[in-house]
């Protein structure tokens, strides 16, 4: 490492809806590819060919989120020049990817292997049964949800909730907090095999809705493989957020200017999503009302 560079870890927030996952891949737009392209534009590494940018010395990321999954505390670390602050990093990033905090870390730090705990939050639309807003298609009984999460918490072999063949034994904590019609399901562990959180949410949702008995959770945690007909597919990726990644002895400093830039960028994306939701909600309500509209004397197809 040169005197002008130090190993630095960066917190990265991103809206994963427009990306084919975090990990770079050929012929697809990914978060990691976007970060590496920004570093190339900063002159920190060679651009490479297409998505195959080189990586800076010591580069690693905390995790590989799937397509559609977002993050607030994804962490990447590498040998960085002293001038590469979060606000400088953002100079070549789109609004959907924002770096907002950083920490200088010891030489040899590895963003993947040195993480001691990862936390995900899944924002599940699940009105509580018996409330005025309860949609019977999506409503859940909170006590059933919490019972299922209690069964899943602890050290288990989650081989029936992932397609991975290794690394399936994890010490996991799963809880839920009600926020209006949403249940925020928080899952923390030392690491996660592929799609575990989304399959866990799908299993808990089925129990909460009364489609499965709580004993199904015990069956999924058993050593015997489950047959295909009682297997669990993953819940949709868009409500899932990589919420936190913890490292022993590492304290991140928030770059206030970069954090404000992230607040503004994600605020705009939130408003856009609300506008789209309002439009689709209006379509739903009109169709549900059975109102076909009145005949008109003229035709105007142009918007």
């Amino acid at each position: 490492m040169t005197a002008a560079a130090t190993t630095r870890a960066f917190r990265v927030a991103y809206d994963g809806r427009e990306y084919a996952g975090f990990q770079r891949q050929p012929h697809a737009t990914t978060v990691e590819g976007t970060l590496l392209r920004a570093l190339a534009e900063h002159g920190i590494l060679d651009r490479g060919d297409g998505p195959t940018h080189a990586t800076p010395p010591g580069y690693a990321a905390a995790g590989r989120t799937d397509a559609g999954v977002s993050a607030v505390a994804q962490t990447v670390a590498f040998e960085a020049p002293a001038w590469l602050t979060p606000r400088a990093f953002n100079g070549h990033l789109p609004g959907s990817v924002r770096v907002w905090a950083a920490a200088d870390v010891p030489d040899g730090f590895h963003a993947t292997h040195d993480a001691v705990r990862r936390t995900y939050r899944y924002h599940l639309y699940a009105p509580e049964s018996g409330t005025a807003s309860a949609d019977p298609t999506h409503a859940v009984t909170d006590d059933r949800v919490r019972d299922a999460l209690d069964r899943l918490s602890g050290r288990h072999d989650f081989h029936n909730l992932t397609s991975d063949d290794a690394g399936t034994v994890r010490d996991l904590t799963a809880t839920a907090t009600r926020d209006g019609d949403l249940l925020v399901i928080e899952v923390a562990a030392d690491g996660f095999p592929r799609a575990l959180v989304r399959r866990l949410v799908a299993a808990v949702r089925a129990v909460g809705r009364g489609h499965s008995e709580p004993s199904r959770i015990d069956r999924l945690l058993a050593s015997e493989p489950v047959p295909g007909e009682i297997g669990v597919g993953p819940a949709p990726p868009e409500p899932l957020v990589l919420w936190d990644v913890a490292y022993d002895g590492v304290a991140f400093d928030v770059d206030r200017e970069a954090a404000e830039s992230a607040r503004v960028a994600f605020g705009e994306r939130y408003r856009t999503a609300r506008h789209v939701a309002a439009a689709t909600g209006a379509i739903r309500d009109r169709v549900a009302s059975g109102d076909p509209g009145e005949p008109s004397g003229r035709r105007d197809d142009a918007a």
Side-chain angles (χ1 to χ4, degrees), residues 19-37:
Y19 294 98
F22 178 81
Q23 187 180 19
R24 60 178 171 171
Q25 52 187 289
H27 315 302
T29 301
T30 67
V31 178
E32 186 172 53
T34 301
L35 291 170
L36 294 175
R37 182 171 62 249

Side-chain angles (χ1 to χ4, degrees), residues 221-254:
L221 295 175
S223 58
E224 300 83 6
V226 296
E229 65 270 18
I230 65 169
V232 179
E238 290 79 11
L240 182 60
V241 180
L242 175 56
W243 193 255
D244 193 34
V245 182
Y247 298 93
D248 285 338
V250 176
F252 286 85
D253 293 323
V254 175

Side-chain angles (χ1 to χ4, degrees), residues 23-259:
Q23 187 180 19
R24 60 178 171 171
Q25 52 187 289
H27 315 302
T29 301
T30 67
V31 178
E32 186 172 53
T34 301
L35 291 170
L36 294 175
R37 182 171 62 249
L39 293 178
E41 291 172 354
H42 277 300
I44 292 172
L45 51 81
D46 294 333
R47 183 175 296 273
D49 181 17
T52 59
H53 299 292
T55 55
Y59 173 85
R64 301 173 179 178
T65 54
D66 293 336
V69 176
S70 298
V72 67
Q74 173 70 279
T75 305
V76 296
F78 52 89
E79 291 183 20
W83 57 263
L84 189 67
T85 62
R87 73 190 73 175
F89 206 146
N90 286 337
H92 288 294
L93 288 172
S96 54
V97 181
R98 298 278 93 184
V99 179
W100 58 278
D104 288 342
V105 292
D107 295 352
F109 175 87
H110 196 283
T112 310
H113 304 320
D114 289 344
V116 295
R117 201 76 172 161
R118 295 170 174 84
T119 302
Y120 283 88
R121 287 186 178 178
Y122 194 98
H123 298 79
L124 178 67
Y125 175 68
E128 187 172 7
S129 294
T131 61
S133 62
D135 174 350
T137 304
H138 300 283
V140 301
T141 302
D142 285 12
D143 286 345
R144 289 176 64 92
V145 167
R146 293 194 171 95
D147 176 58
L149 293 172
D150 286 345
R151 292 169 186 254
L152 287 158
S153 294
R155 188 170 181 82
H156 302 289
D157 188 338
F158 293 95
H159 66 102
N160 283 322
L161 289 168
T162 179
S163 59
D164 285 355
D165 296 323
T168 60
V169 176
R170 296 292 173 179
D171 184 6
L172 182 145
T173 302
T175 59
T177 304
R178 176 150 300 279
D179 181 11
D181 285 345
L182 294 177
L183 266 180
V184 182
I185 297 177
E186 181 172 292
V187 186
D190 48 349
F192 289 92
R194 190 184 310 271
L196 172 58
V197 177
R198 292 197 286 133
R199 290 178 189 271
L200 179 153
V201 168
V204 168
R205 179 181 60 191
V207 172
R209 292 179 181 174
H211 298 167
S212 297
E213 290 305 312
S215 58
R216 186 187 186 198
I217 301 296
D218 301 329
R219 177 66 183 88
L220 291 169
L221 295 175
S223 58
E224 300 83 6
V226 296
E229 65 270 18
I230 65 169
V232 179
E238 290 79 11
L240 182 60
V241 180
L242 175 56
W243 193 255
D244 193 34
V245 182
Y247 298 93
D248 285 338
V250 176
F252 286 85
D253 293 323
V254 175
D255 182 323
R256 295 300 173 186
E257 182 178 312

